[in-house]
Amino acid sequence: MSSSRHNRATVVARLRPTVGALWWRVLILTPAALSIWCLNRSGTYRALIFDGSWTTRFYVVAWVVLTPYLGWIVMATGRLTFSLIKHDAARRIDEFFVGASTLIVTGLALGALSILYPQLVLGMMLAILAWDTRSFRRPKRVTVNYPLLLVSLVGLAALGMVFLDRAAMPDVVLTDVQQLYAPYLAEVARNHSIWLAADNPIFSDFEIGHGNGLHLLMATFLPPQVTQIVSFLYFVGIGAVILELARMLAPLQTLGSQWDRAALPIALGIAILGLTLVPGLHIMEFGKYHLQTAAFCVYALLIVSRYSKGGDGLGAGISGLALAVTYPLYAAFVFLISGLGVLTKLLQRDRSGFVTSVALGLGAAVGCTLTFGVNYFYLGIPATNPYSIFRQVVSTDRFSHFGSLDILDYFVLSQSIGVSDFSVRAGLIFASLQMKAIFGAAALLAMISFVVAFLDSRLFPGRSSASAAEPSRIAPGLLVLVAYMACVWFLDATLQIPSLMRLSIHINALIPIATIAIAFSGLIMARRLVPAWFSGRAAPYIAVLAVFMVCVSAVHTVLWSRFVDDGTMLFVRGRPLHQMPRVDVDWRRCDELQQLTGSDRILALNGYRAMVPCYFSSLLTRGKIIHTYESDVARDFKRIALGTADTAEATLRSLGVKLFYVQKGNCDFWLNGFSDLFQKDELAKRFAVYRETSDYWILTWRNGDEPLGAEAETGIAALRTRSKEIYQEAYGVEPFEVVKHHLPPDGKHGDINALAQLSKCR
C-alpha cells in the first residue's frame, strides 16, 4: 500500500513541472484563441457594414489583442529559421523579415499542394510558438532613458492611429480591395489551395495573390480582412528598418559621449517622420500587398548598406526570393538594389558584403523564374502586366480555360490611349529636382546644427572624448540610399505608370534618413576642422527636443487629420461602415439584390464602378454578381460580346444566366453591355422586366408575350447610346468597336476627362 502511494506521489511529482509549463503556455495563448473565435463568428462582416454597435467594438478589440500574436509568429519563425542553419544570434529586424520570408514560401508550398487547412496551419504555428517559448528569459533591467520614452510615446500614438484607421477598420472605400484581393483569399480558404475553381476562374486575383504565402496562411483561419493587419505588421517593420538605417548612417554618438542617450531617440524620431511624411506610407492601400513589397525593398537597402556578417547571405537570398514570388515584376526594385550593393561592395573590397548583395539578386532571379514559370504552365501567360510583352508568348489554349485574351486586348487599348508617352527628359528633371531639395534641406540642417553646436560650446562647455565616425563606413550606405531614390524617381517620372507610382511612395519614407545622413556627414567634416565646436553639453537635448516637436507636429498634422476625416473613432464607437464619411458606394444595393433574386446570378450591363462592392462579396451567394472579366461568363466573351445576338443568347442561357441589371441614370456600360444582344431592336424581342425600382431595372428572358415596355426599352437604349458617345469623346475612337472588328487604332486622341461623365450620364 505504501509502495502504491509512493509511486503515485512520484508520478505526480514528475508531472507537476510538465503541467506547470503547459499551463502558463495555455494561459498566454488563450486571448489569441478567443480573438480568433470572435473574428470568425457568422455574420460579423454583415454586421460591421450595416449594424455596427457592439459587434464593431468586439471586432476592434479582437484585432488589438490578436495582432501582437501574429507579429510574434513572424518573429518566432525567423528565430527558428536562423536556428536551423546554426546561425549566430540574429538582429530582431532580420528575424522579422526572414520569418516573413519563410512563411511566404511555406504558404505558397502548402497552397500548391492543396493542403492549406486551418487545422494544419494553426498546428504548425502553435508548434513554432511552443518552441519559441523555450527561450523566454526574464527581461534585463532597463535603464530609463527619458528622451527615448518621450519620443516613444509619440511613436505609439502614431502607430495606434494608423492601426485603427488603416488596419482594424475594414477597407470598404477602395474598389480594388473588394474585387481583386479579399475574394482570392476567401477562395483559398474555401478550396484550401492556390489553384482556381473552374466555376470561379479569377485569374487576375491568382496572378496577384498566389505568391503571398503569409497572407494565405493567415486567411485559412481568419477573415480576408487579415491582409490589412499583415500590412500593418510590415508598416511597423519598415519603421524598424528606418530606425536601423538612421543609426547606421548617422551615428550621432560618435560626436561625443553626451550624445549616447540622445542618439537612439533621434533615430526613433527619424523613423516616425519616415512613416508620417506626406505623401507617406500611411496612405498606401493596406488591403493590398504594396506595403509588403515596400517593406522588403527597404530591408534590401539595409542588407546591402550595412557591413555584412558571414551568414547575412541567407537573409538576403530568402528575402529576394520571397519578394519575387509575391509579385515578380516588382523584383526589378531588388535587382536595382542588388546592383548598387555589388558596386559599392566592390569599391570597398568587402567580400562578404559582395556575396550578400549577389545572394539578394540571385534569390530574386530564382523567385521570378519560378513564378513566371508557374504562371505560364498554369495560366498560359507569364504575367498580364506588361501585357504588350507577354502577349507574344501566351498559350491561347491554356488561357482560354480562365479568361479571354480579347478582354485583355480591350483593356490595353482603352488604357493606352490615355497614357502619356515616355519622357526621359522629364524623368531626369524630376529626379534632379528631388535630389536638389534633399541636399538643400541637408545643407540647411547642417548650418543650423553648426550654429547650435558653436553656441553650445561657448555657453555650456564640456569635455568630449568622442572619435569621429569613419566616413568610409558611412559613405557606401548613403550612396546606395541616394542612388536608389534617384533611380526610382527617374523611373516614376519617365514611365508614368500609376501602379508603379503608387508603390514608389515608399521612397518618401527614406527622405528623412537621407537628409539627416547628408547633414551628419557635414557635421563630421566640420568636427575634424573645428573639434572645439562640439564640446558643449546642451546640443543633444536641443536636438532631441527639436525632433520631438517636429514629430508631434507631423503626427498631428498628417495622421490625426486623416484619422478625424475618416471618422475612425465613429467606427470604434460602433457606427456601421456604410455610414462612414468616405464611403460613397451603395452597400445596401448588394443586400437588396440578394433578397430580390435569391440564388439566381445577375449580369450587370452598366454601373461597373457602382457594382464593385457586389463583385465576389461575402454578403452575397458565391458568384452572385457576374464579374466583367473574371468569371465563367467572361471566358465566352467572344461569343457573348463579340458575337451575334443569337449566339450571345444561346451562350448565356447555357451558362444559366437569366437576370440582367441596368442602373438608371448611369452610362458606365462595359464590355458585355455593348453586345448586339442589348441593342434597342433586340431588347423588346428578347427581354422582359423582372423587377423595376426608382434606381434600376432587372431584365430577364422573355417568355410568351410579356412586353418589356416602351419606357424601359427607350431608357436602356438611350443610356447605351450615350455611353458610346462618351467613350468616343474621351478616346477619339470607340475601343469596343476597335476590338470587335479588329480595327487598327487611328491615332486620334480625345479628352480623357470625359470619362467622368459615365457615372452620372451627363
Side-chain angles (χ1 to χ4, degrees):
M1 189 70 177
S2 60
S3 176
S4 176
R5 289 179 179 175
H6 176 72
N7 290 337
R8 284 199 299 270
T10 303
V11 171
V12 170
R14 291 176 178 176
L15 287 177
R16 187 174 290 126
T18 303
V19 171
L22 289 175
W23 170 247
W24 72 264
R25 286 177 170 83
V26 170
L27 195 63
I28 287 176
L29 296 175
T30 297
L34 292 175
S35 298
I36 293 172
W37 170 81
C38 179
L39 293 168
N40 285 300
R41 291 179 61 202
S42 177
T44 295
Y45 189 55
R46 174 182 292 274
L48 291 174
I49 293 176
F50 298 123
D51 303 323
S53 191
W54 282 103
T55 299
T56 296
R57 298 184 183 111
F58 283 126
Y59 179 86
V60 172
V61 171
W63 278 128
V64 170
V65 172
L66 186 60
T67 299
Y69 286 92
L70 301 183
W72 180 18
I73 289 170
V74 176
M75 297 289 290
T77 304
R79 283 190 282 270
L80 177 61
T81 303
F82 278 117
S83 71
L84 291 176
I85 61 165
K86 299 181 179 179
H87 195 280
D88 295 334
R91 303 177 179 93
R92 290 288 182 262
I93 193 68
D94 296 311
E95 291 175 350
F96 176 83
F97 281 96
V98 170
S101 301
T102 302
L103 291 173
I104 286 171
V105 176
T106 302
L108 174 60
L110 296 181
L113 295 173
S114 300
I115 53 174
L116 269 174
Y117 290 92
Q119 299 89 340
L120 175 63
V121 173
L122 281 171
M124 178 186 72
M125 291 183 174
L126 283 173
I128 292 173
L129 293 182
W131 173 86
D132 197 54
T133 56
R134 299 186 313 161
S135 60
F136 276 11
R137 296 287 186 271
R138 181 174 297 178
K140 297 179 180 178
R141 187 173 181 179
V142 179
T143 304
V144 178
N145 185 331
Y146 291 106
L148 177 61
L149 180 61
L150 194 64
V151 179
S152 297
L153 292 176
V154 180
L156 288 174
L159 292 179
M161 282 185 275
V162 172
F163 177 80
L164 292 175
D165 185 39
R166 309 293 287 156
M169 183 165 60
D171 189 345
V172 293
V173 176
L174 301 170
T175 57
D176 284 352
V177 174
Q178 302 303 321
Q179 62 174 331
L180 292 178
Y181 294 85
Y184 182 69
L185 293 179
E187 282 290 293
V188 169
R190 176 183 181 272
N191 303 323
H192 315 296
S193 170
I194 64 172
W195 312 116
L196 299 175
D199 61 339
N200 198 27
I202 47 179
F203 68 89
S204 180
D205 303 38
F206 168 85
E207 182 190 346
I208 295 171
H210 76 274
N212 297 279
L214 176 56
H215 294 76
L216 303 182
L217 290 171
M218 299 299 184
T220 59
F221 62 93
L222 288 168
Q225 289 72 37
V226 70
T227 183
Q228 296 177 228
I229 303 299
V230 175
S231 291
F232 176 77
L233 295 178
Y234 283 121
F235 180 82
V236 177
I238 291 172
V241 173
I242 297 173
L243 175 63
E244 289 296 316
L245 283 171
R247 297 177 68 184
M248 180 182 71
L249 298 180
L252 298 177
Q253 64 273 17
T254 59
L255 293 176
S257 57
Q258 69 273 22
W259 285 90
D260 285 345
R261 290 169 63 83
L264 185 55
I266 292 174
L268 180 59
I270 296 170
I272 295 171
L273 292 176
L275 295 178
T276 58
L277 198 69
V278 178
L281 301 175
H282 60 283
I283 70 168
M284 295 180 77
E285 301 171 9
F286 279 48
K288 298 184 179 183
Y289 307 121
H290 289 172
L291 275 160
Q292 176 177 258
T293 305
F296 276 103
C297 285
V298 296
Y299 178 62
L301 283 170
L302 175 63
I303 289 175
V304 302
S305 298
R306 70 190 181 191
Y307 272 82
S308 177
K309 296 189 298 182
D312 282 353
L314 167 78
I318 194 172
S319 296
L321 173 68
L323 175 57
V325 299
T326 57
Y327 198 56
L329 290 177
Y330 291 146
F333 287 112
V334 179
F335 293 138
L336 171 61
I337 296 169
S338 175
L340 291 171
V342 167
L343 176 62
T344 55
K345 298 307 178 183
L346 282 175
L347 294 175
Q348 286 182 285
R349 298 182 180 180
D350 179 2
R351 181 177 179 181
S352 179
F354 173 80
V355 172
T356 298
S357 299
V358 171
L360 177 67
L362 286 178
V366 171
C368 283
T369 304
L370 174 66
T371 305
F372 283 141
V374 169
N375 288 350
Y376 181 74
F377 288 107
Y378 181 64
L379 287 181
I381 189 170
T384 57
N385 186 23
Y387 181 68
S388 57
I389 295 177
F390 296 116
R391 181 70 167 88
Q392 311 304 317
V393 297
V394 67
S395 170
T396 305
D397 291 339
R398 278 199 293 272
F399 191 77
S400 65
H401 294 292
F402 303 98
S404 167
L405 290 173
D406 294 292
I407 293 180
L408 297 184
D409 291 337
Y410 174 82
F411 283 165
V412 170
L413 176 64
S414 62
Q415 293 174 4
S416 62
I417 290 175
V419 174
S420 303
D421 295 332
F422 296 159
S423 174
V424 173
R425 182 173 181 274
L428 290 172
I429 292 174
F430 181 74
S432 61
L433 288 176
Q434 293 293 101
M435 297 312 302
K436 182 180 178 181
I438 288 179
F439 277 94
L444 178 62
L445 179 61
M447 287 177 61
I448 295 173
S449 300
F450 296 157
V451 172
V452 171
F454 174 75
L455 294 176
D456 181 36
S457 65
R458 294 295 183 268
L459 297 175
F460 306 99
R463 296 183 62 184
S464 175
S465 58
S467 59
E470 287 288 341
S472 60
R473 297 179 66 89
I474 299 173
L478 184 57
L479 174 63
V480 169
L481 187 66
V482 171
Y484 174 74
M485 295 168 67
C487 289
V488 175
W489 275 321
F490 169 76
L491 291 174
D492 276 357
T494 299
L495 303 178
Q496 298 185 39
I497 300 175
S499 60
L500 183 64
M501 294 170 71
R502 285 194 295 271
L503 176 64
S504 299
I505 289 173
H506 73 272
I507 64 171
N508 290 339
L510 305 176
I511 291 176
I513 309 173
T515 304
I516 297 293
I518 294 170
F520 177 77
S521 300
L523 291 176
I524 290 296
M525 289 187 288
R527 188 180 182 281
R528 288 180 177 275
L529 296 174
V530 281
W533 281 21
F534 296 87
S535 60
R537 292 176 287 122
Y541 302 101
I542 296 173
V544 171
L545 182 60
V547 169
F548 173 76
M549 296 298 291
V550 172
C551 288
V552 170
S553 176
V555 170
H556 180 268
T557 304
V558 179
L559 297 186
W560 177 253
S561 297
R562 186 181 181 94
F563 190 80
V564 173
D565 292 342
D566 289 348
T568 306
M569 286 309 300
L570 298 175
F571 171 73
V572 173
R573 292 169 184 163
R575 175 177 288 191
L577 288 169
H578 79 101
Q579 296 179 4
M580 297 302 291
R582 292 201 302 128
V583 176
D584 57 3
V585 291
D586 189 354
W587 285 85
R588 288 288 184 189
R589 181 164 301 167
C590 305
D591 203 40
E592 182 179 322
L593 291 174
Q594 178 71 64
Q595 302 303 320
L596 287 176
T597 61
S599 60
D600 290 333
R601 302 169 73 196
I602 300 174
L603 177 63
L605 305 185
N606 71 342
Y608 173 74
R609 292 161 183 82
M611 294 296 287
V612 162
C614 307
Y615 291 123
F616 307 119
S617 174
S618 59
L619 300 175
L620 311 176
T621 54
R622 184 168 172 266
K624 173 70 178 177
I625 306 298
I626 298 168
H627 196 272
T628 310
Y629 60 89
E630 290 189 290
S631 64
D632 54 342
V633 174
R635 286 188 301 222
D636 288 309
F637 176 77
K638 184 170 289 187
R639 289 189 290 177
I640 296 172
L642 306 182
T644 65
D646 290 335
T647 302
E649 180 177 350
T651 304
L652 287 169
R653 284 183 179 274
S654 69
L655 292 169
V657 181
K658 56 185 180 181
L659 296 179
F660 306 88
Y661 173 91
V662 182
Q663 184 173 329
K664 294 181 178 180
N666 189 299
C667 289
D668 195 6
F669 277 75
W670 190 250
L671 297 177
N672 289 318
F674 289 125
S675 169
D676 288 350
L677 178 63
F678 304 107
Q679 294 181 100
K680 184 176 181 180
D681 295 341
E682 303 291 343
L683 287 172
K685 183 167 51 176
R686 300 175 188 269
F687 297 98
V689 174
Y690 178 86
R691 184 65 180 262
E692 180 179 0
T693 71
S694 59
D695 296 322
Y696 57 83
W697 293 283
I698 297 180
L699 308 183
T700 189
W701 300 117
R702 181 173 179 179
N703 295 314
D705 296 324
E706 302 171 2
L708 176 65
E711 182 182 352
E713 177 186 343
T714 304
I716 294 171
L719 292 175
R720 188 172 179 271
T721 300
R722 179 57 185 148
S723 180
K724 287 194 170 190
E725 292 173 353
I726 293 173
Y727 280 113
Q728 179 79 36
E729 181 183 350
Y731 293 130
V733 296
E734 290 185 40
F736 183 82
E737 294 300 321
V738 172
V739 171
K740 180 176 181 178
H741 300 293
H742 304 286
L743 303 175
D746 58 9
K748 294 181 180 178
H749 290 276
D751 179 11
I752 199 70
N753 296 318
L755 294 177
Q757 304 174 46
L758 288 171
S759 60
K760 298 299 182 182
C761 216
R762 293 191 297 271

